[in-house]
């Protein structure tokens, strides 16, 4: 069964600290993996996309990694800011099929001063 | 450039009432989608439209209908609302159905059915 699991469900960190969010998936055949950021009361916004051949990709203070062999991805946030408080959603795309996106339930990150 | 615009932002319905959620995008995207988001669950696809004039069912289509009015607009209708349809509804669009094209989401409609 195609599934995407994220951990932890929620996380509280101090401003300025780093954190890592995890995404494990069983989706196959894999096409790509995307991380979205969802602020409270808003729609998700794409942060980064990882394709099969990519191991690491950065977007400012956000760095995503992908291990296609173990079917794991992580999102590392460096020097967190209050504005990083949001839900982070992992979405995996199948290579085929009409309904080919699989969403994780998200990690709720709270950055406190 | 507003992106994806959804109306209304909030709605309260009584069981059995009907309503239409509106969505419009100004990015000239071919594909549009309706999702619902419930606590503890990932976004679930209700319906999608790969191009103007076509619509297809997603994972949870029961109790909903859609209309792709033109390339810009994609509406979602609840004919007879039920409490199980209490949720946050998101419209999204993408440039095409290619696998690397990101989804652009609206800011959601928060629907409560009593």
């Amino acid at each position: 069964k195609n599934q995407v699991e994220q951990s932890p469900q929620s996380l509280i960190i101090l401003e300025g600290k780093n954190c890592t969010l995890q995404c494990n998936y069983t989706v196959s055949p894999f096409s790509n993996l995307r991380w979205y950021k969802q602020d409270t009361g808003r729609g998700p916004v794409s942060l980064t996309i990882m394709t099969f051949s990519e191991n690491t990709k950065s977007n400012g203070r956000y760095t995503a990694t992908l291990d296609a062999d173990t079917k794991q991805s992580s999102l590392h946030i460096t020097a967190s800011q209050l504005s990083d408080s949001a839900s982070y959603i992992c979405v995996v795309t199948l290579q085929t099929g009409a309904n080919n996106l699989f969403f994780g339930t998200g990690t709720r990150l709270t950055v406190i001063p | 450039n507003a992106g994806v615009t959804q109306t209304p932002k909030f709605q309260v319905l009584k069981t059995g009432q009907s309503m239409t959620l509106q969505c419009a995008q100004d990015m000239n995207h071919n594909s549009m989608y309706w999702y619902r988001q419930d606590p503890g669950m990932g976004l679930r696809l209700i319906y999608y439209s790969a191009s103007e004039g076509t619509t297809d069912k997603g994972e949870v289509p029961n109790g909903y209908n859609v209309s792709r009015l033109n390339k810009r607009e994609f509406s979602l209708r609840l004919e007879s609302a039920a409490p199980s349809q209490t949720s946050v509804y998101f419209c999204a669009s993408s440039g095409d159905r290619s696998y690397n094209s990101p989804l652009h989401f609206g800011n959601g409609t928060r629907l409560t059915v009593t």
Side-chain angles (χ1 to χ4, degrees):
Chain A
K1 183 179 178 183
N2 290 313
Q3 285 185 315
V4 177
E5 294 184 351
Q6 293 186 244
S7 62
Q9 280 189 314
S10 62
L11 184 61
I12 300 174
I13 62 173
L14 288 173
E15 186 179 10
K17 297 296 186 183
N18 304 336
C19 68
T20 300
L21 314 180
Q22 300 288 347
C23 175
N24 296 339
Y25 61 93
T26 60
V27 175
S28 182
F30 173 90
S31 176
N32 63 60
L33 183 148
R34 195 181 290 275
W35 285 93
Y36 285 84
K37 179 187 179 189
Q38 184 176 20
D39 292 317
T40 300
R42 312 277 287 191
V45 175
S46 176
L47 285 175
T48 186
I49 180 174
M50 305 290 290
T51 57
F52 188 86
S53 59
E54 294 173 311
N55 298 119
T56 304
K57 184 176 283 187
S58 292
N59 178 4
R61 293 179 298 101
Y62 299 102
T63 299
T65 66
L66 175 67
D67 185 334
D69 291 331
T70 61
K71 298 186 178 178
Q72 296 180 326
S73 176
S74 65
L75 182 68
H76 185 75
I77 304 174
T78 304
S80 60
Q81 300 176 358
L82 297 178
S83 59
D84 293 329
S85 294
S87 288
Y88 292 83
I89 302 171
C90 174
V91 183
V92 181
T93 305
L94 265 179
Q95 286 183 5
T96 59
N99 185 9
N100 61 351
L101 296 180
F102 292 86
F103 289 80
T105 55
T107 292
R108 176 70 202 174
L109 174 65
T110 303
V111 181
I112 58 175
Chain B
N1 188 341
V4 178
T5 303
Q6 292 184 236
T7 56
K9 289 191 169 79
F10 300 93
Q11 184 71 50
V12 178
L13 293 177
K14 293 186 189 307
T15 297
Q17 287 185 319
S18 62
M19 78 162 295
T20 299
L21 283 64
Q22 306 287 351
C23 174
Q25 52 92 8
D26 62 3
M27 295 172 283
N28 201 35
H29 283 169
N30 289 318
S31 299
M32 297 186 73
Y33 312 79
W34 277 105
Y35 288 90
R36 61 178 288 173
Q37 186 175 42
D38 300 294
M41 304 186 74
L43 283 150
R44 291 183 293 169
L45 183 65
I46 304 171
Y47 270 93
Y48 68 96
S49 170
S51 61
E52 185 179 354
T54 68
T55 61
D56 286 285
K57 294 178 180 179
E59 181 186 355
V60 288
N62 291 346
Y64 306 95
N65 285 302
V66 290
S67 295
R68 183 75 182 265
L69 304 169
N70 47 54
K71 191 171 186 179
R72 290 186 65 247
E73 298 172 290
F74 188 38
S75 62
L76 178 72
R77 182 160 178 84
L78 286 71
E79 290 290 352
S80 179
S84 61
Q85 294 178 305
T86 293
S87 186
V88 182
Y89 291 85
F90 287 98
C91 177
S93 69
S94 67
D96 52 43
R97 289 287 289 171
S98 76
Y99 303 111
N100 290 343
S101 182
L103 293 173
H104 297 261
F105 287 88
N107 286 326
T109 294
R110 283 142 191 84
L111 174 67
T112 301
V113 183
T114 61

